[in-house]
Amino acid sequence: MNIAALVSGGVDSSVMVHLLKEAGYDPTIFYIQIGMEEKDGFVDCPSEEDIEITSFIAKKYGCRFEIVSLHEEYWENVVSYTIDAVKRGLTPNPDMMCNKLIKFGSFEQKWGKEFDKIATGHYATTTIINDKTYLSTAADHVKDQTYFLGQINYLQVSKLMFPIGHLQKKEVREIAVAAQLPSAQRKDSQGICFLGKINYNDFIRRYLGEKEGLIVELETGRIVGKHKGYWFHTIGQRKGLGLSGGPWFVVKKNPEENILYVSNGYDPETQYGKTINLRGFQYITEDIWGDFQDEKEITFKIRHTPEFTRGKLKKINDIFRIQSEEKIQGIAAGQFGVIYDSDSRLCLGSGMIIE
């Protein structure tokens, strides 16, 4: 089998190569450059250390190694999407778009099409049911990354391999130590990759500038402060508002009037909701329910968390409505709601949250 292995230099993708070799495969290693160092104000995300470690892994296991660039594709499909979503007052998910459009999109079109499978270090698995491939959750629910894969399609999931998906993170580290991999003790990457070392607010400021607006208490309409642009703030945010007498939470935004609405207290009711409406819902493999006469028992996530929340799914015209069994904090337009089966085993698909 001809396998393309996407390696970042981190411990997960390094161990992925180790496991592929142990299984008798001879993967070609690809390192994808997506940092925007040629754009004004950007610092390159793919560091020399990442490439050095990936090169070491390739030599250690005798694998062909290629460094490929998807700078422009990343800017056009992910960075621009992020800027546009923030400008519209939405909460974007660049990691989800990167998986769908770059790692398993542009890479497939340019290089992956020559291979039978694409292997990654994601914490996820696949399950075959009636000769069809489904995206399924990882053994380690704390590290499970199926939320970030919730926008991929059937052709993509059918070609993917997740060699570490059956392992706990601790086991991955142990394998890396035993194999003397240089990434064994590396910390997991955090934040949005394309920003490199740039602060998120500095990045937003560079493209959207600043515009002073009011901070208003939702319940009373009282003006409690000012901000420098609603685009610097997200629903559910607590820190960075500069208000006294807190805690204060961002609970609503008015992009047209540049107003932030906030609520006060450790557990304000306005932080929470039980109803989530999704538009543009896409199944990864297929519609497992067929007709939608009745509500369906599901589990779901609206962000990357270890926990799955139980609820019921109902289709109303082109809207998929989730009724959660428990209150959910920080439901924000632009986020993705990812739907799983009632056993939290199969990741079925996702849609964008609307107000």
Side-chain angles (χ1 to χ4, degrees):
M1 187 184 294
N2 201 10
I3 300 173
L6 305 186
V7 181
S8 65
V11 64
D12 298 325
S13 58
S14 297
V15 169
M16 176 259 292
V17 174
H18 174 86
L19 295 177
L20 287 174
K21 291 295 290 189
E22 278 199 333
Y25 298 115
D26 186 25
T28 297
I29 292 175
F30 286 90
Y31 181 92
I32 301 176
Q33 290 183 312
I34 56 174
M36 302 303 298
E37 77 279 8
E38 76 276 17
K39 299 290 183 182
D40 179 41
F42 277 89
V43 177
D44 192 21
C45 178
S47 69
E48 292 182 4
E49 184 180 5
D50 293 337
I51 294 175
E52 184 178 343
I53 290 177
T54 304
S55 179
F56 176 90
I57 296 296
K59 290 177 182 177
K60 176 180 175 67
Y61 292 105
C63 299
R64 186 161 67 91
F65 175 40
E66 288 190 43
I67 300 174
V68 297
S69 173
L70 288 172
H71 289 294
E72 293 305 320
E73 292 84 353
Y74 197 82
W75 176 265
E76 293 170 6
N77 291 289
V78 180
V79 182
S80 295
Y81 147 79
T82 302
I83 295 170
D84 178 66
V86 170
K87 187 176 182 179
R88 293 163 56 199
L90 304 176
T91 299
N93 193 317
D95 291 321
M96 189 175 279
M97 291 297 103
C98 180
N99 286 325
K100 176 184 180 179
L101 302 174
I102 304 301
K103 291 179 181 176
F104 312 133
S106 296
F107 175 81
E108 165 67 18
Q109 295 159 14
K110 292 194 171 187
W111 298 282
K113 61 186 178 183
E114 305 297 330
F115 295 83
D116 301 311
K117 292 285 186 178
I118 296 176
T120 79
H122 283 98
Y123 284 86
T125 59
T126 55
T127 299
I128 306 297
I129 302 175
N130 296 328
D131 296 324
K132 291 187 177 181
T133 304
Y134 289 82
L135 178 65
S136 45
T137 50
D140 190 334
H141 276 196
V142 173
K143 298 300 294 183
D144 179 81
Q145 291 173 299
T146 51
Y147 178 82
F148 295 120
L149 297 167
Q151 275 279 296
I152 65 175
N153 61 38
Y154 184 67
L155 291 178
Q156 291 171 326
V157 74
S158 299
K159 194 167 181 175
L160 292 177
M161 296 178 68
F162 304 113
I164 68 168
H166 64 290
L167 299 172
Q168 300 291 318
K169 180 72 177 195
K170 180 182 178 182
E171 295 175 300
V172 172
R173 292 277 186 197
E174 290 171 349
I175 291 171
V177 170
Q180 297 183 325
L181 302 183
S183 55
Q185 302 302 330
R186 287 193 89 185
K187 293 182 179 179
D188 293 341
S189 61
Q190 301 290 333
I192 302 171
C193 185
F194 68 76
L195 295 183
K197 299 177 183 178
I198 290 180
N199 175 272
Y200 177 76
N201 279 351
D202 290 340
F203 162 74
I204 295 298
R205 186 177 293 107
R206 185 167 282 113
Y207 289 94
L208 299 181
E210 293 184 354
K211 183 180 179 181
E212 188 175 89
L214 300 177
I215 303 176
V216 176
E217 185 173 26
L218 182 67
E219 295 84 351
T220 65
R222 180 171 62 98
I223 297 172
V224 294
K226 293 183 178 180
H227 62 84
K228 295 183 178 180
Y230 64 84
W231 43 83
F232 293 116
H233 304 278
T234 57
I235 301 298
Q237 175 183 336
R238 174 183 168 188
K239 297 181 179 179
L241 290 169
L243 302 177
S244 60
W248 294 90
F249 293 88
V250 177
V251 294
K252 186 179 179 181
K253 292 190 277 189
N254 184 330
E256 289 75 22
E257 298 184 22
N258 193 27
I259 295 175
L260 281 184
Y261 290 96
V262 297
S263 286
N264 182 267
Y266 280 99
D267 198 30
E269 188 69 22
T270 46
Q271 267 201 93
Y272 297 87
K274 280 191 169 186
T275 302
I276 303 164
N277 292 315
L278 307 180
R279 177 167 286 157
F281 189 88
Q282 298 177 14
Y283 290 99
I284 295 173
T285 298
E286 64 178 353
D287 178 355
I288 67 168
W289 294 300
D291 64 62
F292 232 105
Q293 300 301 316
D294 303 311
E295 291 181 326
K296 307 300 179 183
E297 298 282 346
I298 61 162
T299 59
F300 69 94
K301 294 183 180 184
I302 65 167
R303 60 178 66 88
H304 176 54
T305 60
E307 299 82 19
F308 296 85
T309 305
R310 303 197 71 82
K312 292 184 178 180
L313 184 67
K314 185 176 183 179
K315 187 177 180 183
I316 305 173
N317 297 321
D318 63 339
I319 302 298
F320 279 61
R321 175 167 293 170
I322 302 171
Q323 195 65 36
S324 176
E325 286 188 359
E326 57 188 72
K327 295 179 181 178
I328 304 295
Q329 190 265 349
I331 301 171
Q335 287 176 315
F336 285 91
V338 178
I339 304 299
Y340 300 79
D341 65 2
S342 59
D343 297 324
S344 304
R345 186 172 67 93
L346 301 181
C347 181
L348 302 175
S350 67
M352 185 177 289
I353 297 175
I354 59 173
E355 298 213 25

